[in-house]
Amino acid sequence: MEFLLIFNKSILPIFIILSVAFIYYRIFKPNIKDIANITLTVLAPIMTFEALVRYNISPESLILPIIFAFLLTFGLMAAAYGCYYLFRLNSSQKIPLVLTASMMNTGNFGLPLIFFTYGTDAKVYSIIYFIAFSIPLSTIAIYISSDKSRISDILKDILKIPIFHGMIAALLLNFIGINLPSSIDKSLSLVSQAAIPMMIFVLGLQLSSIKIELGFLKVVGIATFLRLIVSPVLAFFMLKMLNIHSLEQNVALLQTSGPVAVLTLLYAIRFNRSPHLMSAIIFVTTLVSGITLTVLIKLI
């Protein structure tokens, strides 16, 4: 009974919106790119800015989350490389396995998950960890997927991500000590409330356009195990090591234990890194996470 109550409170709302988006795409065939661009370039940066300003977050608050993000990413990459050699997978499956094991969906899936589980009290923590894990997702993931090795190219890719613009603007305002006029504050608050449901909706649209091919059972199983089982175990011990505790620990643990980031599929398509395999892993981890995350919420 408790399992069903947790699922109903934290997981089911996400899957209901995903289902609505899935059906909407099948009927109306909207332009996903345009809807995603509005969410990623307008709603998400405003939500980031509004939350960081509202809770007066300083740059020092980002240090431990960023350290955790890179520790967990490198730990999962090492585990994925180990599984690649242990199970003797073919070379075309190496990069998809490494990316899907180490790059989690802390945004479209993670932010709503934290909101439905812990409410507005955890919003600022979820945004901080969303920002922290966006750094390896926009640097290490691109480096692995492509042949980019120059630091200048990687930095350019980071600076193109709109949420970082919102973060920098908010941190600057907090440092200077400027308070926003109430009219602007209300407007930003209203717009930021639209970000979380739109993130889930965009994820549903993206999942509905994924094509899955059979024949990937072995590598999909390994990737799913690494993403949904190994990742929370590693994260738990790393958070203890970094002395991150209480609500922040729960948020970081839960938010980094979800399915694969959809952005990895875009990298796979762009750099021709087995996009059909990547699609299958993203789809399966999203579905299975409904069970694993419910269990994790019950445990913590």
Side-chain angles (χ1 to χ4, degrees), residues 13-28:
I14 295 176
F15 279 89
I16 289 174
I17 299 175
L18 288 176
S19 300
V20 171
F22 193 96
I23 295 169
Y24 180 83
Y25 178 83
R26 293 295 176 182
I27 297 174
F28 298 104

Side-chain angles (χ1 to χ4, degrees), residues 30-217:
N31 188 320
I32 298 177
K33 185 177 181 181
D34 288 344
I35 299 175
N37 281 341
I38 293 172
T39 305
L40 296 175
T41 62
V42 180
L43 300 181
I46 289 177
M47 179 185 68
T48 301
F49 176 85
E50 191 269 342
L52 294 179
V53 169
R54 180 178 297 277
Y55 292 97
N56 196 27
I57 299 300
S58 64
E60 291 79 11
S61 303
L62 296 170
I63 294 175
L64 278 182
I66 291 174
I67 292 173
F68 170 62
F70 278 96
L71 282 176
L72 184 58
T73 299
F74 285 127
L76 290 168
M77 285 172 60
Y81 277 115
C83 287
Y84 167 75
Y85 290 110
L86 179 65
F87 292 98
R88 299 181 179 179
L89 303 176
N90 68 59
S91 58
S92 65
Q93 297 174 336
K94 179 169 68 173
I95 298 304
L97 178 63
V98 173
L99 284 175
T100 53
S102 60
M103 301 296 159
M104 64 287 292
N105 194 335
T106 58
N108 298 56
F109 197 97
L111 287 172
L113 174 65
I114 299 303
F115 176 76
F116 289 131
T117 305
Y118 296 112
T120 54
D121 291 343
K123 183 179 179 180
V124 66
Y125 288 133
S126 64
I127 290 176
I128 286 174
Y129 281 92
F130 170 45
I131 293 170
F133 278 87
S134 294
I135 299 175
L137 183 59
S138 59
T139 54
I140 297 172
I142 292 175
Y143 178 79
I144 294 171
S145 303
S146 70
D147 54 1
K148 286 186 178 182
S149 58
R150 288 168 44 180
I151 295 177
S152 59
D153 290 334
I154 294 174
L155 289 175
K156 286 178 183 177
D157 286 319
I158 295 177
L159 294 175
K160 289 178 184 176
I161 301 174
I163 62 164
F164 285 106
H165 305 161
M167 177 192 73
I168 292 168
L171 293 176
L172 186 61
L173 249 65
N174 290 344
F175 178 76
I176 297 173
I178 297 177
N179 293 321
L180 293 174
S182 60
S183 56
I184 296 178
D185 182 57
K186 290 178 181 178
S187 298
L188 292 177
S189 177
L190 188 63
V191 173
S192 70
Q193 290 174 30
I196 286 178
M198 278 303 295
M199 282 181 167
I200 311 173
F201 197 82
V202 168
L203 177 59
L205 294 176
Q206 291 169 324
L207 290 174
S208 66
S209 62
I210 283 177
K211 295 180 180 179
I212 300 177
E213 292 184 4
L214 299 176
F216 298 136
L217 187 59

